[in-house]
Amino acid sequence: MSFIKTPLIGLKADSFRHPLDLESTKALKQIPGIDLMVRNWLGPMAEQIFYVENIASSVLVSENQLPDLHKLLLEACKVLDIEPPQLYVRQHPAPNAYTFAMRGKQPFVVLHTSLIDILTPEEIQAVIAHELGHLKCDHSVYLTPVNLLVLAAAIVPNVGNFLAQAIQTQLLEWLRCAEFTCDRAALLATQNPKVVMSVLMKLAGGSPTLAPQLNLDAFVAQARAYDEISKTELGEMVKASRTAQLSHPVPVLRAREIDRWASSQEYQTLLQTHGLKNSGEVSTKGGWRNW
């Protein structure tokens, strides 16, 4: 890695959680019966589907298997102050990564080979840290049904459609907001906003041949332009229509959020305070307060 990152000892999820994540999680919990449905119905079903599907079809990363990826995982976990999950690499043509946490089993992160192929090591670490953000913030309770919806719609269309009609809108709204929080986790782990925004740029328009040619400054300018357009009434309507059925916010919007948060006093204070904790220089009178 290009520089030594500050370990954020004692980092709590609420110290970096995006406000939209807090609001949407509160709204989701108010849906009658959703917690019961997730824990007693979707949970056991998801355990069987995801565990068998991923463990049987992926390669487990370790000190002896893809050790460079293993080092990226351990460093990100150290910075974010979280126990390392298992990390798997799966052959797949669609660039993607996802997280799954099951009752009584170790959580795991999966990276698709096509995503690894377009990213630098630092960018891969940003993706890993994004997924760690889901674990750090305990998103797994609602992340399970979202992932199950995706699989169910493909494997059992009738079941997928039924589930989608019942909870899709609320779950997708929550997930889009949760993604903003996990992008912040990626920034905290890499401590370089350009790395995180570069990942988003490559997700928007990268390939093994195009990725090295992309211009990050131009993409950041594009993200800022999108932000300005979205402030108009028509722009807001188009944005809402465009994102309503998506599981993730559009990449330019995510890049703009990271661009903004990286420049905020909130982010700087978070790094500085935990940096002082790490060096033992925090005053007993003015320690960090989680909010």
Side-chain angles (χ1 to χ4, degrees):
M1 311 305 294
S2 58
F3 63 93
I4 298 175
K5 304 173 185 69
T6 301
L8 305 178
I9 297 173
L11 179 69
K12 302 298 182 183
D14 284 350
S15 66
F16 66 91
R17 198 185 297 267
H18 195 284
L20 292 178
D21 183 6
L22 288 170
E23 292 175 13
S24 61
T25 299
K26 182 178 179 180
L28 197 61
K29 288 181 177 179
Q30 293 175 352
I31 301 174
I34 190 169
D35 280 336
L36 184 65
M37 178 175 61
V38 169
R39 297 180 190 279
N40 296 337
W41 179 32
L42 294 178
M45 188 188 309
E47 287 177 8
Q48 294 298 318
I49 295 174
F50 274 89
Y51 192 74
V52 172
E53 176 70 12
N54 289 309
I55 302 304
S57 306
S58 308
V59 171
L60 175 62
V61 173
S62 68
E63 292 180 354
N64 301 317
Q65 183 72 273
L66 302 174
D68 289 343
L69 291 179
H70 189 248
K71 290 178 182 177
L72 293 176
L73 168 67
L74 294 184
E75 182 182 53
C77 289
K78 180 179 179 181
V79 174
L80 294 176
D81 198 11
I82 183 174
E83 287 296 317
Q86 291 181 332
L87 176 63
Y88 289 85
V89 172
R90 183 172 185 179
Q91 176 71 37
H92 201 286
N96 195 20
Y98 53 90
T99 304
F100 196 59
M102 298 173 294
R103 295 172 298 178
K105 294 184 174 66
Q106 185 176 16
F108 61 89
V109 172
V110 178
L111 301 180
H112 285 179
T113 51
S114 54
L115 180 61
I116 294 172
D117 286 344
I118 64 174
L119 302 179
T120 66
E122 279 189 308
E123 292 165 354
I124 294 171
Q125 187 174 65
V127 171
I128 293 172
H130 174 101
E131 299 305 322
L132 294 176
H134 284 305
L135 297 174
K136 185 80 176 180
C137 296
D138 198 25
H139 285 157
S140 59
V141 170
Y142 300 116
L143 200 59
T144 293
V146 171
N147 286 331
L148 185 59
L149 277 172
V150 175
L151 272 187
I155 299 172
V156 189
N158 290 336
V159 173
N161 290 337
F162 172 76
L163 292 175
Q165 292 172 3
I167 57 176
Q168 175 175 283
T169 300
Q170 291 90 339
L171 283 173
L172 290 180
E173 172 66 22
W174 167 80
L175 181 55
R176 288 193 296 272
C177 296
E179 292 300 312
F180 288 134
T181 292
C182 294
D183 286 343
R184 289 183 172 190
L187 174 57
L188 290 172
T190 61
Q191 297 173 15
N192 186 343
K194 289 185 177 181
V195 170
V196 182
M197 290 189 289
S198 182
V199 172
L200 297 168
M201 175 181 65
K202 291 179 179 180
L203 286 174
S207 71
T209 54
L210 291 178
Q213 304 175 47
L214 294 174
N215 184 315
L216 181 57
D217 290 338
F219 183 72
V220 172
Q222 176 184 335
R224 291 170 180 166
Y226 177 84
D227 192 40
E228 288 300 316
I229 293 173
S230 299
K231 292 178 181 179
T232 67
E233 183 176 351
L234 178 60
E236 186 62 33
M237 290 175 57
V238 172
K239 183 174 73 172
S241 174
R242 170 73 177 83
T243 60
Q245 298 304 313
L246 298 178
S247 62
H248 290 59
V250 293
V252 289
L253 180 57
R254 293 170 64 184
R256 183 65 181 118
E257 282 291 309
I258 283 299
D259 184 33
R260 183 182 293 112
W261 196 59
S263 302
S264 70
Q265 187 59 49
E266 177 185 342
Y267 170 69
Q268 298 299 329
T269 299
L270 192 58
L271 288 184
Q272 291 168 7
T273 303
H274 281 281
L276 289 174
K277 274 188 176 183
N278 189 45
S279 63
E281 296 174 8
V282 169
S283 166
T284 57
K285 297 181 179 179
W288 177 252
R289 180 176 65 88
N290 294 307
W291 21 270

